């Protein structure tokens, strides 16, 4: 058991630190640190352009996608080197949040399922931040129950082998500035729902793709509705066999839990700093016993997640594969963020109601309060994550599936039109 | 970086687990719970022979000369089976007091006996209700004679040697070694929610007391030793939490209701998932505490309180929900659920209550640096 760097790790850390010190956009550091839970909340520059610029710089120096092989534009680094990089990159990592879906989920799926030719064409520009990817999975009637999706792909009747897509996706993060999308469709409604799916990658600029931003509960618009009207996709852009889409999507979903769950902050450091500054009856809030008790519980959640992540990395570096136990990251962090921001507002008293510039701490906790409900839903809701832990980690029986052996077209759904 | 026990440490875990599966069954625990004895002597002797008691005591003092990491591994196993033995009082506390602050002679006298199980030690600090604090100590030592009453003292009824916190003539808190058999010491066993870890009231009436560590340094030494013990006890708690989860999971697979195993109902599945979450967070925090304890890292005080708060929370969470998952069976004497429930609540107030550790954690973080936990 050792937290300290080995000499090689220390040398690597020094190299990373020196490079970041010489190259990071230092003028954005303050803004990035103030933004809640690592979101790219910079207002002084175009956040997408700033993210692309930082990614490009990293790629040119060999620091992009440290978990990918070199031939696809990655850094081929060990799990521990990736952790060290993450620790040293610090707040600048938030700049490239726009690539999280591409680097964390779409890239690995392409790597597992695309032809060698496509990998060499698609992955390097994704690694270097020239292209942005989105994940076109959820639909109005299928989120948790993803396999219930209805967007149709049918073979064009012109003999070209192309596929024609019609339907609608929803909640697609970043679709408004994406170049490519990973798209799951239904190719056969006459078989049980998991069996009739097929995966593609799609150029988002294709004719017939329409992206409509959705105004979210917190007032922002990071996700979208995406409509497909007779969109044409060449068969060469299929990932996996026809009907194998569910299997392909599992690669994405597994990587999703790994990538969004790991290293997620609960917001505790910000709350702790706030409690050092805020006052209760003229004394620092941190001296109040009730405050301490709450803070301590948030503190051990935060550190528990951090060290659970380190245990996972330790296992990974010994050759073990990451499993469903990684569902714990987002489950704990999401709920903690929500409670923590409510607690911060409580400490702010009546001023806790204020928003943005007028509010204490530039509205950081208010932003967290208004964003955290989404964290408990996106990438698998709390309930789905608990099912995964219960069934796949603890070995409990699966939920009863009434739709298991029923042809998709015969499954009753809410608000189904056809 | 490597946040895991070594292969040798894992082997030790297997060895201790095998030993305990044979020598510390539910019947063993129940015989102490229901019988007149305060601890299981045979089990304690067996642990001594296995080298478990002396794991972290240097060889020159009759120990095995391993590190605190090995002791952490052992503690977790003891916690899993609710071992009814005075290891925490004798080894996590008394032996650590001697190793940290004892004179050469005190170490030579007592450490070999503690390691061999020939003598049992206990730490007498509390004097009635409320949080541990130097201001609350009324026991006094004057001219080498100790007077006052300590209660509750874990394993105080079976201890041969006591580490006692008392005020000297100048009113400063110091620590003293007192032999339980000495004249002027009287003690009685107290009723508790968990008789598998006995508690006593000890009255000192001019008992001979020998200074342990520098005069007036008592609170300082006690804080350091309590931090060490906190990590070890946290491992016991994680062992108990994990075992509670296993028992609940097994029951959920076996018990049928409405034609299905109850573990297939989400309300039950989600209780179990949450137990897994709290036990996992606590385990990770304990590994952090173990590392800091063993490496003498500057952040040790924060790490110790982190492990302790997290493990206390997890064990209570898992033990109470273990009963819930068992339904009515869980509330019977015959099922083991209440053994874990008792122990989880007893350990939650041992070495200082949860809220006092929560408070210490935050105090230590504010004295240091919030980023430590970031
Ligand atoms: C901010 C944000 C960004 C997102 N980005 C993307 C994206 O980029 N691409 C994409 O494809 N999707 C995206 N999503 C969609 C997301 O994956 C889904 O919202 C999520 O999977 C939940 O599905 P749903 O919204 O349809 O809720 P539903 O599935 O309708 O769930 C409603 C409620 O029922 C519960 N529930 C459903 N099934 C079960 C069950 N079996 N057991 C117990 N409870 C159950 C849920 O937990 C929830 O509480 C995003 C969502 C959000 C909030």
């Amino acid at each position: 058991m050792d937290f300290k760097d080995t000499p090689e790790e220390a040398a690597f850390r020094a190299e990373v630190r020196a490079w970041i010190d010489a190259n990071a956009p230092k003028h954005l550091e303050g803004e990035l640190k103030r933004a809640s839970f690592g979101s790219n909340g910079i207002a002084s520059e175009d956040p997408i352009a700033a993210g692309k610029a930082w990614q490009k710089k990293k790629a040119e120096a060999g620091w992009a996608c440290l978990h990918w092989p070199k031939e696809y534009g990655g850094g081929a680094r060990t799990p521990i080197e990736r952790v060290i990089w993450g620790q040293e990159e610090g707040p600048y990592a938030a700049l490239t949040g726009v690539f999280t879906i591409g680097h964390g989920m779409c890239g690995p799926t392409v790597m597992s399922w695309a032809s060698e030719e496509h990998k060499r064409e698609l992955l390097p520009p994704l690694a270097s931040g020239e292209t942005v990817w989105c994940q076109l999975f959820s639909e109005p009637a299928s989120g948790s129950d993803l396999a219930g999706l209805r967007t149709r792909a049918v073979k064009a009747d012109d003999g070209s082998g192309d596929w024609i897509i019609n339907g609608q996706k929803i909640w697609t993060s970043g679709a408004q500035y994406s170049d490519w999308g990973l798209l799951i469709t239904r190719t056969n409604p006459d078989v049980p729902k998991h069996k009739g799916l097929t995966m593609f990658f799609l150029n988002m600029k294709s004719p017939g793709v329409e992206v409509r931003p959705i105004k979210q509960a917190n007032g922002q618009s990071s996700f979208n509705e995406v409509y497909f009207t007779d969109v044409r996709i060449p068969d060469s852009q299929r990932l996996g066999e026809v009907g194998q889409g569910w299997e392909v999507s599992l690669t994405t979903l597994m990587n999703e839990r790994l990538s969004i769950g790991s290293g997620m902050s609960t917001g505790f450091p910000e709350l702790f700093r706030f409690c050092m500054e805020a006052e209760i009856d003229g004394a620092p809030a941190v001296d109040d016993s009730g405050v301490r008790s709450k803070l301590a519980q948030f503190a051990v959640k935060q550190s528990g997640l951090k060290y659970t992540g380190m245990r996972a990395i330790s296992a990974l570096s010994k050759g073990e594969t990451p499993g469903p136990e990684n569902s714990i990251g987002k489950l704990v962090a999401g709920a903690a963020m929500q409670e923590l921001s409510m607690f911060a507002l409580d400490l702010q008293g009546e001023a806790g109601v204020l928003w943005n510039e007028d509010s204490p701490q530039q509205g950081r906790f208010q932003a967290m309060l208004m964003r955290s409900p989404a964290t408990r839903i996106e990438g698998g809701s709390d309930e789905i994550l608990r099912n995964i832990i219960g069934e796949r980690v603890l070995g409990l029986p699966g939920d009863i599936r009434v739709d298991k052996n029923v042809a998709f077209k015969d499954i009753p759904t809410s608000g189904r039109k056809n | 970086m490597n946040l895991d026990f070594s292969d040798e440490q894992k082997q030790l875990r297997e060895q201790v687990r095998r030993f305990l599966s044979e020598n510390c069954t539910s019947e063993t625990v129940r015989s102490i719970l229901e019988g007149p004895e305060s601890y299981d002597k045979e089990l304690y002797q067996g642990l001594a022979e296995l080298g478990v008691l002396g794991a972290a005591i240097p060889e020159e003092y009759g120990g095995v000369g391993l590190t605190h990491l090995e002791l952490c591994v052992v503690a977790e196993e003891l916690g899993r089976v609710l071992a009814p033995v005075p290891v925490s009082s004798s080894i996590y506390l008394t032996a650590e007091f001697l190793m940290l602050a004892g004179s050469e002679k005190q170490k030579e006298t007592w450490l070999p006996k503690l390691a061999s199980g020939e003598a049992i030690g206990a730490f007498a600090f509390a004097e009635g209700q409320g949080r541990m604090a130097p201001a609350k100590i009324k026991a006094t030592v004057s001219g080498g004679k100790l007077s006052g009453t300590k209660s509750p003292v874990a394993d105080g009824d079976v201890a041969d040697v006591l580490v006692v916190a008392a005020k000297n003539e100048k009113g400063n808190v110091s620590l003293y070694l007192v032999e339980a058999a000495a004249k002027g010491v009287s003690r009685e066993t107290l009723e508790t929610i968990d008789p598998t870890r006995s508690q006593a009231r000890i009255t000192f009436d001019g008992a001979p007391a020998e200074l342990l560590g520098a005069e007036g340094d008592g609170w300082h030494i006690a804080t350091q030793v309590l931090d060490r013990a906190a990590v070890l006890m946290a491992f016991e708690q994680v062992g108990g939490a994990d075992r509670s989860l296993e028992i609940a999971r097994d029951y959920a697979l076996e018990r049928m209701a409405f034609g299905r195993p109850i573990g297939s109902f989400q309300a039950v599945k989600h209780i179990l998932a949450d137990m897994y979450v709290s036990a996992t967070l606590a385990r990770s925090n304990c590994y952090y505490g173990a590392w800091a304890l063993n490496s003498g890292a500057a952040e040790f005080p924060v790490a110790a309180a982190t492990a302790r708060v997290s493990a206390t929370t997890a064990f209570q969470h898992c033990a109470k929900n273990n009963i819930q998952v068992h339904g009515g069976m869980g509330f019977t004497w015959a099922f083991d659920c209440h053994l874990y429930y008792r122990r989880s609540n007893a350990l939650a107030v041992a070495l200082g209550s949860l809220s006092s550790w929560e408070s210490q954690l935050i105090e230590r973080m504010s004295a240091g640096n919030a980023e430590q936990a970031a």
Side-chain angles (χ1 to χ4, degrees), chain B residues 6-130:
Chain B
S6 68
D7 289 343
E8 291 76 30
Q9 286 155 353
K10 287 178 186 167
Q11 272 164 20
L12 171 68
R13 186 206 315 267
E14 282 316 305
Q15 193 193 351
V16 176
R17 188 172 292 191
R18 255 198 320 277
F19 172 82
L20 290 171
S21 71
E22 283 162 22
N23 296 285
C24 186
T25 59
S26 162
E27 287 76 58
T28 316
V29 181
R30 284 167 180 277
S31 73
I32 300 302
L33 178 74
E34 297 166 17
E37 299 296 327
S38 291
Y39 74 104
D40 191 305
K41 294 201 175 66
E42 234 173 285
L43 174 62
Y44 201 56
Q45 213 43 55
L47 288 169
E49 279 157 28
L50 205 62
V52 155
L53 301 183
I57 294 175
E59 281 171 292
E60 53 190 304
Y61 300 116
V64 185
L66 296 169
T67 70
H68 281 95
L69 289 180
E70 280 78 15
L71 199 51
C72 289
V73 167
V74 168
E76 183 182 335
E77 295 309 308
L78 296 174
R80 278 178 66 85
V81 296
L82 305 173
V85 282
V87 175
S88 52
S89 300
S90 206
I91 303 303
Y92 310 163
L93 289 165
T94 310
E96 293 294 331
F97 271 116
L98 286 161
M99 289 196 277
L100 187 72
S103 66
E104 196 49 39
K105 180 154 170 292
Q106 288 169 335
K107 289 191 220 178
E108 277 170 11
T109 309
W110 290 109
L111 285 174
K113 289 186 188 160
L114 295 175
S116 69
E118 188 188 331
I120 290 170
F123 177 41
F125 186 97
E127 298 187 20
Q129 286 184 38

Side-chain angles (χ1 to χ4, degrees), chain A residues 266-277:
Chain A
T266 60
F268 172 74
E270 293 164 305
L271 178 70
F272 187 80
R273 276 193 292 275
F274 173 57
C275 289
M276 300 273 278
E277 293 159 18

Side-chain angles (χ1 to χ4, degrees), chain A residues 68-74 106-128 131 133 180 201 236-240:
Chain A
W68 288 9
K70 286 219 164 89
E71 64 262 38
Y72 304 134
C106 302
T109 310
V110 167
M111 220 175 292
S112 301
W113 295 92
S115 67
E116 191 55 37
E117 197 189 333
H118 275 135
K119 286 194 234 184
R120 289 183 189 269
E121 173 196 334
L122 298 167
L123 295 173
L126 170 54
S128 61
T131 54
W133 283 62
W180 293 96
F201 60 88
S236 62
Q237 293 185 194
R238 177 167 41 79
L239 294 174

Side-chain angles (χ1 to χ4, degrees), chain A residues 126-146:
Chain A
L126 170 54
S128 61
E130 284 152 68
T131 54
V132 176
W133 283 62
C134 62
Q135 184 184 354
L136 299 155
F137 281 23
S138 304
E139 297 185 11
S142 67
S144 304
D145 184 12
L146 174 61

Side-chain angles (χ1 to χ4, degrees), chain A residues 2-3 9 272-273 292-293 297 300 302-304 307-308 311 314 318 325 386-387 391 394 397 399, chain B residues 1-4 249 266 269-270 274 276-277 283-285 288 291 306 313 358-359 363 370-371 373-374:
Chain A
D2 196 357
F3 274 64
E9 287 161 9
F272 187 80
R273 276 193 292 275
R292 282 192 181 178
S293 191
Q297 287 296 332
V300 304
Q302 168 85 30
S303 65
Y307 302 122
T308 300
R311 285 173 54 209
S314 303
K318 285 182 198 155
E325 65 278 1
R386 285 193 175 92
N387 282 354
E391 293 167 21
L394 300 177
D399 278 8
Chain B
M1 189 206 80
N2 176 21
L3 193 49
D4 196 3
R249 192 261 324 263
Q266 274 193 3
K269 192 179 285 177
H270 289 189
D274 285 341
Y276 171 81
V277 168
R283 173 176 297 280
S284 303
N285 281 320
Y288 169 53
W291 165 78
T306 299
T313 305
E358 286 174 338
S359 185
E363 202 175 303
E371 307 300 331

Side-chain angles (χ1 to χ4, degrees), chain A residues 101 134-146 169-174 216 222-223 256 371 373-384 387 399, chain B residues 266 270:
Chain A
I101 291 175
C134 62
Q135 184 184 354
L136 299 155
F137 281 23
S138 304
E139 297 185 11
S142 67
S144 304
D145 184 12
L146 174 61
K169 296 287 173 179
I170 196 170
W171 325 127
T172 318
S173 302
Q216 297 161 184
S222 65
F223 59 36
E256 175 166 25
R371 177 59 173 72
T375 310
R376 296 183 53 200
I377 296 165
E378 64 192 330
S381 69
D382 284 5
E383 291 68 35
I384 296 297
N387 282 354
D399 278 8
Chain B
Q266 274 193 3
H270 289 189

